[in-house]
Amino acid sequence: MIKNKGLIKRFRHLSEYIVFLVFSSIIRFLSAETVFQLGQSIGRIAFMGGGKRKKIAMINLDIAFGDTKSAQEKQRIVKQSFIQLAVLFLQCIWMFKDPKTRVHELITEKPEGVDILNQCLDRGKGVFFLTAHYGNWEAMGILHGYLGVSQLNSIVRRLDNPLLDKAVLNFRTISGNDIFYRDESPMKIVRALKNNQCVAVMMDQNTAKGGLFVNFFGMKAATARSVAMLSYRTGAAILPLFSYPIGHGKYRIEYGPELKLNKTGDKTADIQDWTQKCEDFLESVIRTQHEPWMWGHRRWKTRPSDEQGKKVY
């Protein structure tokens, strides 16, 4: 029985990979504008059949904005969020062919704040990029690699399908970046910082174990403490890095401003405060432009000990 389950899983993985190869062989020959238009259409279809994810997104918007936005406006934001994810997915597949040229078709202007990044790197202690599932974060990472400023190491979760995981790994490292998987030793991060490299951390995801509870849109959210802890320990700068949609499938990239965080002598309180300030910055970005964020994630799933039994979703 176990052997049969293993065979079924391998067959499913192979089938998914074949579908991916066929789909990518078509997408790669389209123009950037056609990919954008197709992504919009797929996103609208996904929204219509969104089901569970659409419901989660609406709950998140209720938490974030309460009655300050109408149900119609929240539906519009969710729809645009679905569209942005579909566009991102197609653009990533499209970039598989000639990524160096194509990433510059999506990001046509020089990134803002590179001077701030260089000032942080001049200290020789590495840089944490504070970022989120916002805009086209994959294209942003690819572009950073081609800038040749400092190696970027992104912390990611392994994909369930090892064939797809290998393909995505090859794509994410094509411009000289590296990947750290979440289940690997944190010493990899420490070594990267000691080598004055950059480490990108998505701090907009629910942390089921070992996280700190800080306010995010006015509600406690379980949040990774690693950025604050390692920055406190190593002196690495914490620098926001975001990809802002500017229309027609194009993006503007901005580094900074650096988060200026002070040590008070109380390590526990400082790490709590630094983590809160990271989430405050993410919230400020999402409040400025709501639609590019991935609203369908169960950000508030894990609850504090005094809320045991409470279910948000």
Side-chain angles (χ1 to χ4, degrees):
M1 187 68 177
I2 295 176
K3 184 177 180 179
N4 289 338
K5 286 184 178 180
L7 289 173
I8 292 172
K9 181 183 287 188
R10 285 196 293 271
F11 178 76
R12 186 180 75 248
H13 288 166
L14 181 59
S15 299
E16 292 171 348
Y17 185 62
I18 291 172
V19 170
F20 166 76
L21 290 177
V22 172
F23 190 61
S24 62
S25 68
I26 298 171
I27 297 299
R28 68 195 314 182
F29 291 107
L30 302 178
S31 67
E33 179 63 24
T34 301
V35 167
F36 172 63
Q37 296 295 339
L38 181 58
Q40 286 192 309
S41 298
I42 293 175
R44 293 188 187 100
I45 294 171
F47 172 76
M48 288 188 290
K52 180 181 178 181
R53 287 297 167 185
K54 184 159 61 174
K55 182 178 180 181
I56 290 170
M58 289 298 292
I59 293 172
N60 288 343
L61 282 160
D62 286 340
I63 291 171
F65 300 111
D67 296 331
T68 63
K69 294 189 183 298
S70 66
Q72 292 78 10
E73 175 65 4
K74 291 173 183 175
Q75 288 276 353
R76 186 195 66 79
I77 293 171
V78 175
K79 182 178 181 180
Q80 291 302 315
S81 179
F82 273 56
I83 288 173
Q84 175 58 46
L85 281 174
V87 169
L88 175 148
F89 175 70
L90 292 192
Q91 287 177 334
C92 289
I93 293 176
W94 177 75
M95 282 192 292
F96 268 59
K97 179 183 180 182
D98 195 8
K100 189 171 186 177
T101 298
R102 291 188 167 183
V103 74
H104 286 96
E105 289 189 52
L106 303 181
I107 305 167
T108 57
E109 299 179 1
K110 182 181 177 180
E112 301 172 26
V114 177
D115 58 327
I116 300 175
L117 170 59
N118 284 324
Q119 290 169 13
C120 293
L121 290 170
D122 285 344
R123 300 172 202 158
K125 296 183 178 181
V127 174
F128 273 115
F129 285 145
L130 169 64
T131 190
H133 295 85
Y134 190 94
N136 192 326
W137 60 88
E138 297 287 359
M140 179 176 71
I142 296 295
L143 180 71
H144 177 88
Y146 287 128
L147 292 179
V149 179
S150 179
Q151 181 171 308
L152 169 62
N153 307 278
S154 297
I155 301 174
V156 302
R157 183 183 71 83
R158 295 180 192 272
L159 298 183
D160 295 332
N161 186 326
L163 297 175
L164 291 177
D165 187 68
K166 183 178 180 179
V168 172
L169 174 64
N170 291 338
F171 169 67
R172 286 171 166 167
T173 58
I174 194 70
S175 62
N177 299 330
D178 201 358
I179 292 296
F180 295 160
Y181 289 109
R182 290 182 185 175
D183 57 0
E184 293 181 319
S185 170
M187 286 306 299
K188 278 194 167 186
I189 301 174
V190 175
R191 283 194 292 269
L193 295 173
K194 285 185 176 179
N195 290 328
N196 204 27
Q197 296 177 3
C198 302
V199 178
V201 183
M202 300 280 195
M203 285 191 66
D204 60 338
Q205 300 286 280
N206 179 68
T207 302
K209 296 180 179 180
L212 291 176
F213 285 97
V214 296
N215 289 320
F216 189 56
F217 285 96
M219 186 172 182
K220 294 294 183 183
T223 305
R225 69 178 77 198
S226 56
V227 170
M229 286 184 64
L230 291 176
S231 176
Y232 192 96
R233 173 182 168 185
T234 66
I238 301 179
L239 190 68
L241 173 59
F242 279 86
S243 159
Y244 298 93
I246 57 175
H248 296 282
K250 304 294 193 298
Y251 305 90
R252 175 179 66 85
I253 306 301
E254 183 175 355
Y255 294 86
E258 181 186 358
L259 299 191
K260 300 292 186 177
L261 304 169
N262 299 316
K263 291 184 178 181
T264 66
D266 186 336
K267 180 179 179 181
T268 300
D270 285 346
I271 290 173
Q272 181 79 29
D273 180 58
W274 290 16
T275 304
Q276 180 65 68
K277 285 182 167 58
C278 287
E279 290 303 286
D280 288 344
F281 190 91
L282 296 188
E283 181 179 328
S284 71
V285 170
I286 298 167
R287 283 190 180 278
T288 301
Q289 191 176 356
H290 319 314
E291 297 84 353
W293 191 46
M294 190 172 66
W295 284 97
H297 171 68
R298 292 182 291 181
R299 180 65 183 95
W300 290 272
K301 178 183 177 182
T302 301
R303 307 311 309 142
S305 57
D306 60 350
E307 293 184 22
Q308 289 304 313
K310 178 180 178 180
K311 291 186 177 180
V312 176
Y313 305 102

